[in-house]
mmCIF file of all heavy atoms in Angstrom:
data_model
loop_
_atom_site.group_PDB
_atom_site.id
_atom_site.type_symbol
_atom_site.label_atom_id
_atom_site.label_comp_id
_atom_site.label_asym_id
_atom_site.label_seq_id
_atom_site.Cartn_x
_atom_site.Cartn_y
_atom_site.Cartn_z
ATOM 1 N N ALA A 346 96.875 88.752 122.658
ATOM 2 C CA ALA A 346 95.778 88.247 121.873
ATOM 3 C C ALA A 346 95.939 88.554 120.391
ATOM 4 O O ALA A 346 95.707 87.842 119.497
ATOM 5 C CB ALA A 346 94.491 88.834 122.345
ATOM 6 N N LEU A 347 96.410 89.814 120.141
ATOM 7 C CA LEU A 347 96.667 90.223 118.776
ATOM 8 C C LEU A 347 97.755 89.508 118.028
ATOM 9 O O LEU A 347 97.864 89.358 116.822
ATOM 10 C CB LEU A 347 96.946 91.711 118.752
ATOM 11 C CG LEU A 347 95.791 92.617 119.049
ATOM 12 C CD1 LEU A 347 96.199 94.104 119.201
ATOM 13 C CD2 LEU A 347 94.595 92.450 118.061
ATOM 14 N N ALA A 348 98.747 89.005 118.827
ATOM 15 C CA ALA A 348 100.002 88.386 118.258
ATOM 16 C C ALA A 348 99.809 86.783 118.080
ATOM 17 O O ALA A 348 100.659 86.244 117.626
ATOM 18 C CB ALA A 348 101.186 88.668 119.189
ATOM 19 N N GLY A 349 98.595 86.293 118.374
ATOM 20 C CA GLY A 349 98.413 84.901 118.289
ATOM 21 C C GLY A 349 98.374 84.479 116.813
ATOM 22 O O GLY A 349 98.383 85.250 115.855
ATOM 23 N N SER A 350 98.288 83.138 116.584
ATOM 24 C CA SER A 350 98.200 82.628 115.186
ATOM 25 C C SER A 350 96.848 83.022 114.591
ATOM 26 O O SER A 350 95.875 83.358 115.377
ATOM 27 C CB SER A 350 98.316 81.081 115.225
ATOM 28 O OG SER A 350 97.125 80.496 115.841
ATOM 29 N N ASP A 351 96.713 82.948 113.286
ATOM 30 C CA ASP A 351 95.474 83.303 112.645
ATOM 31 C C ASP A 351 94.279 82.468 113.255
ATOM 32 O O ASP A 351 93.228 82.892 113.442
ATOM 33 C CB ASP A 351 95.580 83.052 111.160
ATOM 34 C CG ASP A 351 96.258 84.197 110.488
ATOM 35 O OD1 ASP A 351 96.605 85.205 111.168
ATOM 36 O OD2 ASP A 351 96.473 84.093 109.299
ATOM 37 N N ALA A 352 94.550 81.124 113.448
ATOM 38 C CA ALA A 352 93.495 80.336 114.014
ATOM 39 C C ALA A 352 93.088 80.654 115.386
ATOM 40 O O ALA A 352 91.981 80.737 115.727
ATOM 41 C CB ALA A 352 93.943 78.807 113.962
ATOM 42 N N GLU A 353 94.073 81.009 116.231
ATOM 43 C CA GLU A 353 93.766 81.560 117.586
ATOM 44 C C GLU A 353 92.913 82.829 117.544
ATOM 45 O O GLU A 353 91.908 83.012 118.223
ATOM 46 C CB GLU A 353 95.015 81.723 118.428
ATOM 47 C CG GLU A 353 95.791 80.457 118.749
ATOM 48 C CD GLU A 353 97.210 80.798 119.232
ATOM 49 O OE1 GLU A 353 97.693 81.759 119.059
ATOM 50 O OE2 GLU A 353 97.636 79.818 119.893
ATOM 51 N N VAL A 354 93.393 83.731 116.752
ATOM 52 C CA VAL A 354 92.832 85.026 116.549
ATOM 53 C C VAL A 354 91.398 84.941 116.097
ATOM 54 O O VAL A 354 90.506 85.473 116.599
ATOM 55 C CB VAL A 354 93.704 86.055 115.664
ATOM 56 C CG1 VAL A 354 92.853 87.226 115.289
ATOM 57 C CG2 VAL A 354 94.911 86.307 116.468
ATOM 58 N N ARG A 355 91.206 84.077 115.022
ATOM 59 C CA ARG A 355 89.937 83.787 114.421
ATOM 60 C C ARG A 355 88.949 83.259 115.451
ATOM 61 O O ARG A 355 87.799 83.598 115.588
ATOM 62 C CB ARG A 355 90.059 82.844 113.253
ATOM 63 C CG ARG A 355 88.808 82.638 112.433
ATOM 64 C CD ARG A 355 89.049 81.712 111.326
ATOM 65 N NE ARG A 355 90.094 81.983 110.418
ATOM 66 C CZ ARG A 355 91.241 81.366 110.245
ATOM 67 N NH1 ARG A 355 91.425 80.251 110.913
ATOM 68 N NH2 ARG A 355 92.155 81.803 109.422
ATOM 69 N N ARG A 356 89.388 82.223 116.248
ATOM 70 C CA ARG A 356 88.549 81.556 117.255
ATOM 71 C C ARG A 356 88.136 82.645 118.289
ATOM 72 O O ARG A 356 87.007 82.703 118.732
ATOM 73 C CB ARG A 356 89.338 80.451 117.898
ATOM 74 C CG ARG A 356 88.555 79.651 118.855
ATOM 75 C CD ARG A 356 89.246 78.594 119.627
ATOM 76 N NE ARG A 356 89.979 79.266 120.757
ATOM 77 C CZ ARG A 356 91.284 79.588 120.732
ATOM 78 N NH1 ARG A 356 92.067 79.313 119.800
ATOM 79 N NH2 ARG A 356 91.834 80.178 121.889
ATOM 80 N N ARG A 357 89.077 83.429 118.755
ATOM 81 C CA ARG A 357 88.843 84.442 119.802
ATOM 82 C C ARG A 357 87.767 85.424 119.363
ATOM 83 O O ARG A 357 86.811 85.661 120.152
ATOM 84 C CB ARG A 357 90.145 85.046 120.283
ATOM 85 C CG ARG A 357 90.074 85.839 121.505
ATOM 86 C CD ARG A 357 91.412 86.355 121.917
ATOM 87 N NE ARG A 357 92.333 85.301 122.214
ATOM 88 C CZ ARG A 357 93.497 84.981 121.514
ATOM 89 N NH1 ARG A 357 93.867 85.833 120.571
ATOM 90 N NH2 ARG A 357 94.232 84.067 121.830
ATOM 91 N N ILE A 358 87.962 86.019 118.162
ATOM 92 C CA ILE A 358 87.009 87.080 117.769
ATOM 93 C C ILE A 358 85.671 86.540 117.349
ATOM 94 O O ILE A 358 84.666 87.149 117.587
ATOM 95 C CB ILE A 358 87.665 87.943 116.646
ATOM 96 C CG1 ILE A 358 86.829 89.203 116.465
ATOM 97 C CG2 ILE A 358 87.879 87.220 115.320
ATOM 98 C CD1 ILE A 358 86.900 90.289 117.520
ATOM 99 N N ARG A 359 85.653 85.305 116.747
ATOM 100 C CA ARG A 359 84.392 84.672 116.339
ATOM 101 C C ARG A 359 83.498 84.322 117.536
ATOM 102 O O ARG A 359 82.344 84.163 117.406
ATOM 103 C CB ARG A 359 84.628 83.460 115.499
ATOM 104 C CG ARG A 359 84.953 83.928 114.067
ATOM 105 C CD ARG A 359 85.043 82.628 113.273
ATOM 106 N NE ARG A 359 85.224 82.982 111.835
ATOM 107 C CZ ARG A 359 85.507 82.107 110.899
ATOM 108 N NH1 ARG A 359 85.537 80.857 111.189
ATOM 109 N NH2 ARG A 359 85.747 82.500 109.591
ATOM 110 N N ALA A 360 84.156 84.164 118.732
ATOM 111 C CA ALA A 360 83.362 83.900 119.941
ATOM 112 C C ALA A 360 82.496 85.120 120.327
ATOM 113 O O ALA A 360 81.540 84.934 121.123
ATOM 114 C CB ALA A 360 84.310 83.540 121.080
ATOM 115 N N HIS A 361 82.808 86.222 119.710
ATOM 116 C CA HIS A 361 82.043 87.463 120.088
ATOM 117 C C HIS A 361 81.637 88.217 118.738
ATOM 118 O O HIS A 361 82.349 89.117 118.346
ATOM 119 C CB HIS A 361 82.935 88.372 120.909
ATOM 120 C CG HIS A 361 83.321 87.787 122.142
ATOM 121 N ND1 HIS A 361 82.520 87.658 123.242
ATOM 122 C CD2 HIS A 361 84.568 87.144 122.543
ATOM 123 C CE1 HIS A 361 83.194 87.049 124.265
ATOM 124 N NE2 HIS A 361 84.458 86.758 123.788
ATOM 125 N N PRO A 362 80.661 87.601 118.038
ATOM 126 C CA PRO A 362 80.263 88.177 116.669
ATOM 127 C C PRO A 362 79.944 89.671 116.777
ATOM 128 O O PRO A 362 80.251 90.364 115.775
ATOM 129 C CB PRO A 362 79.149 87.257 116.241
ATOM 130 C CG PRO A 362 78.708 86.523 117.390
ATOM 131 C CD PRO A 362 79.803 86.439 118.362
ATOM 132 N N GLN A 363 79.371 90.161 117.767
ATOM 133 C CA GLN A 363 78.996 91.566 117.904
ATOM 134 C C GLN A 363 80.199 92.403 117.952
ATOM 135 O O GLN A 363 80.310 93.549 117.470
ATOM 136 C CB GLN A 363 78.036 91.883 119.037
ATOM 137 C CG GLN A 363 76.715 91.118 119.035
ATOM 138 C CD GLN A 363 76.751 89.822 119.768
ATOM 139 O OE1 GLN A 363 77.727 89.210 120.028
ATOM 140 N NE2 GLN A 363 75.557 89.343 120.201
ATOM 141 N N VAL A 364 81.169 91.897 118.685
ATOM 142 C CA VAL A 364 82.480 92.705 118.813
ATOM 143 C C VAL A 364 83.200 92.664 117.365
ATOM 144 O O VAL A 364 83.718 93.678 116.944
ATOM 145 C CB VAL A 364 83.422 92.022 119.811
ATOM 146 C CG1 VAL A 364 84.766 92.714 120.005
ATOM 147 C CG2 VAL A 364 82.761 92.103 121.194
ATOM 148 N N LEU A 365 83.190 91.544 116.723
ATOM 149 C CA LEU A 365 83.748 91.514 115.389
ATOM 150 C C LEU A 365 83.040 92.534 114.500
ATOM 151 O O LEU A 365 83.740 93.273 113.726
ATOM 152 C CB LEU A 365 83.648 90.097 114.733
ATOM 153 C CG LEU A 365 83.983 89.902 113.358
ATOM 154 C CD1 LEU A 365 85.366 90.379 112.999
ATOM 155 C CD2 LEU A 365 83.733 88.476 112.851
ATOM 156 N N ALA A 366 81.707 92.549 114.551
ATOM 157 C CA ALA A 366 80.994 93.495 113.666
ATOM 158 C C ALA A 366 81.325 94.962 114.017
ATOM 159 O O ALA A 366 81.573 95.772 113.144
ATOM 160 C CB ALA A 366 79.491 93.289 113.747
ATOM 161 N N SER A 367 81.516 95.241 115.309
ATOM 162 C CA SER A 367 81.884 96.620 115.723
ATOM 163 C C SER A 367 83.323 96.976 115.352
ATOM 164 O O SER A 367 83.560 98.101 114.935
ATOM 165 C CB SER A 367 81.540 96.853 117.174
ATOM 166 O OG SER A 367 81.705 98.149 117.490
ATOM 167 N N PHE A 368 84.182 95.998 115.473
ATOM 168 C CA PHE A 368 85.590 96.214 115.013
ATOM 169 C C PHE A 368 85.595 96.527 113.486
ATOM 170 O O PHE A 368 86.246 97.522 113.056
ATOM 171 C CB PHE A 368 86.437 94.920 115.164
ATOM 172 C CG PHE A 368 87.028 94.821 116.665
ATOM 173 C CD1 PHE A 368 86.463 95.476 117.691
ATOM 174 C CD2 PHE A 368 88.082 93.906 116.844
ATOM 175 C CE1 PHE A 368 86.993 95.256 118.997
ATOM 176 C CE2 PHE A 368 88.627 93.776 118.009
ATOM 177 C CZ PHE A 368 88.107 94.421 119.148
ATOM 178 N N PHE A 369 84.882 95.791 112.804
ATOM 179 C CA PHE A 369 84.794 96.093 111.298
ATOM 180 C C PHE A 369 84.167 97.398 111.066
ATOM 181 O O PHE A 369 84.685 98.191 110.231
ATOM 182 C CB PHE A 369 83.950 94.951 110.626
ATOM 183 C CG PHE A 369 83.951 95.136 109.114
ATOM 184 C CD1 PHE A 369 84.981 94.728 108.321
ATOM 185 C CD2 PHE A 369 82.816 95.651 108.488
ATOM 186 C CE1 PHE A 369 84.961 94.807 106.971
ATOM 187 C CE2 PHE A 369 82.769 95.745 107.108
ATOM 188 C CZ PHE A 369 83.863 95.330 106.329
ATOM 189 N N GLN A 370 83.045 97.679 111.700
ATOM 190 C CA GLN A 370 82.438 99.009 111.533
ATOM 191 C C GLN A 370 83.254 100.221 111.958
ATOM 192 O O GLN A 370 83.118 101.334 111.307
ATOM 193 C CB GLN A 370 81.095 98.973 112.302
ATOM 194 C CG GLN A 370 80.260 100.204 111.970
ATOM 195 C CD GLN A 370 78.851 100.164 112.747
ATOM 196 O OE1 GLN A 370 78.560 99.152 113.289
ATOM 197 N NE2 GLN A 370 78.131 101.206 112.704
ATOM 198 N N ASN A 371 84.091 100.049 112.887
ATOM 199 C CA ASN A 371 84.856 101.211 113.394
ATOM 200 C C ASN A 371 86.344 101.162 112.894
ATOM 201 O O ASN A 371 87.151 101.997 113.453
ATOM 202 C CB ASN A 371 84.866 101.248 114.990
ATOM 203 C CG ASN A 371 83.455 101.549 115.428
ATOM 204 O OD1 ASN A 371 83.086 102.823 115.288
ATOM 205 N ND2 ASN A 371 82.716 100.631 116.013
ATOM 206 N N ALA A 372 86.673 100.344 112.002
ATOM 207 C CA ALA A 372 88.078 100.244 111.505
ATOM 208 C C ALA A 372 88.644 101.578 110.987
ATOM 209 O O ALA A 372 89.893 101.759 111.110
ATOM 210 C CB ALA A 372 88.164 99.236 110.472
ATOM 211 N N ASP A 373 87.779 102.490 110.574
ATOM 212 C CA ASP A 373 88.316 103.812 110.112
ATOM 213 C C ASP A 373 88.959 104.605 111.276
ATOM 214 O O ASP A 373 89.560 105.577 110.992
ATOM 215 C CB ASP A 373 87.178 104.626 109.366
ATOM 216 C CG ASP A 373 86.018 104.885 110.256
ATOM 217 O OD1 ASP A 373 85.597 104.029 111.024
ATOM 218 O OD2 ASP A 373 85.538 105.993 110.178
ATOM 219 N N LEU A 374 88.667 104.208 112.465
ATOM 220 C CA LEU A 374 89.189 104.983 113.575
ATOM 221 C C LEU A 374 90.605 104.480 114.057
ATOM 222 O O LEU A 374 91.201 105.103 114.877
ATOM 223 C CB LEU A 374 88.190 104.933 114.763
ATOM 224 C CG LEU A 374 86.851 105.562 114.569
ATOM 225 C CD1 LEU A 374 85.983 105.360 115.757
ATOM 226 C CD2 LEU A 374 87.041 107.016 114.131
ATOM 227 N N LEU A 375 91.040 103.397 113.392
ATOM 228 C CA LEU A 375 92.289 102.932 113.773
ATOM 229 C C LEU A 375 93.399 103.775 113.198
ATOM 230 O O LEU A 375 93.316 104.314 112.098
ATOM 231 C CB LEU A 375 92.610 101.510 113.106
ATOM 232 C CG LEU A 375 91.860 100.374 113.766
ATOM 233 C CD1 LEU A 375 91.869 99.150 112.959
ATOM 234 C CD2 LEU A 375 92.335 100.035 115.177
ATOM 235 N N GLU A 376 94.494 104.052 113.938
ATOM 236 C CA GLU A 376 95.638 104.838 113.420
ATOM 237 C C GLU A 376 96.396 103.825 112.490
ATOM 238 O O GLU A 376 97.224 103.071 112.955
ATOM 239 C CB GLU A 376 96.497 105.348 114.569
ATOM 240 C CG GLU A 376 95.807 106.385 115.384
ATOM 241 C CD GLU A 376 96.681 106.928 116.495
ATOM 242 O OE1 GLU A 376 97.861 106.994 116.251
ATOM 243 O OE2 GLU A 376 96.077 107.326 117.552
ATOM 244 N N HIS A 377 96.116 103.914 111.247
ATOM 245 C CA HIS A 377 96.626 102.816 110.262
ATOM 246 C C HIS A 377 98.101 102.727 110.188
ATOM 247 O O HIS A 377 98.635 101.677 109.644
ATOM 248 C CB HIS A 377 96.017 103.078 108.894
ATOM 249 C CG HIS A 377 94.544 102.972 108.926
ATOM 250 N ND1 HIS A 377 93.964 101.665 109.000
ATOM 251 C CD2 HIS A 377 93.549 103.821 108.933
ATOM 252 C CE1 HIS A 377 92.596 101.773 108.997
ATOM 253 N NE2 HIS A 377 92.362 103.103 108.965
ATOM 254 N N HIS A 378 98.895 103.666 110.610
ATOM 255 C CA HIS A 378 100.352 103.605 110.576
ATOM 256 C C HIS A 378 101.002 102.890 111.752
ATOM 257 O O HIS A 378 102.205 102.822 111.894
ATOM 258 C CB HIS A 378 100.906 104.959 110.415
ATOM 259 C CG HIS A 378 100.586 105.893 111.559
ATOM 260 N ND1 HIS A 378 99.458 106.504 111.805
ATOM 261 C CD2 HIS A 378 101.370 106.230 112.666
ATOM 262 C CE1 HIS A 378 99.417 107.160 112.900
ATOM 263 N NE2 HIS A 378 100.652 107.063 113.482
ATOM 264 N N THR A 379 100.190 102.319 112.692
ATOM 265 C CA THR A 379 100.705 101.619 113.833
ATOM 266 C C THR A 379 100.703 100.152 113.685
ATOM 267 O O THR A 379 99.796 99.588 112.971
ATOM 268 C CB THR A 379 99.994 102.104 115.138
ATOM 269 O OG1 THR A 379 98.615 101.547 115.075
ATOM 270 C CG2 THR A 379 99.943 103.564 115.353
ATOM 271 N N ALA A 380 101.637 99.468 114.364
ATOM 272 C CA ALA A 380 101.653 98.055 114.378
ATOM 273 C C ALA A 380 100.344 97.513 115.022
ATOM 274 O O ALA A 380 99.815 96.406 114.563
ATOM 275 C CB ALA A 380 102.856 97.521 115.161
ATOM 276 N N GLU A 381 99.808 98.135 116.098
ATOM 277 C CA GLU A 381 98.632 97.651 116.674
ATOM 278 C C GLU A 381 97.521 97.629 115.706
ATOM 279 O O GLU A 381 96.772 96.709 115.706
ATOM 280 C CB GLU A 381 98.378 98.509 117.912
ATOM 281 C CG GLU A 381 99.342 98.396 118.995
ATOM 282 C CD GLU A 381 100.533 99.420 118.867
ATOM 283 O OE1 GLU A 381 100.663 100.068 117.836
ATOM 284 O OE2 GLU A 381 101.310 99.486 119.892
ATOM 285 N N ALA A 382 97.359 98.698 114.944
ATOM 286 C CA ALA A 382 96.292 98.758 113.976
ATOM 287 C C ALA A 382 96.374 97.655 112.922
ATOM 288 O O ALA A 382 95.361 97.087 112.568
ATOM 289 C CB ALA A 382 96.260 100.180 113.266
ATOM 290 N N ALA A 383 97.597 97.455 112.527
ATOM 291 C CA ALA A 383 97.737 96.322 111.512
ATOM 292 C C ALA A 383 97.375 94.942 112.196
ATOM 293 O O ALA A 383 96.708 94.124 111.451
ATOM 294 C CB ALA A 383 99.225 96.208 111.094
#
């Protein structure tokens, strides 16, 4: 899911706006030096 095109990724996350909001709100918990976090 994370490796999809921008359009695929955008469509997938926008289908769940509460999840998008929580991802944004909790972004400080990502280990920023990892590829997964990027």
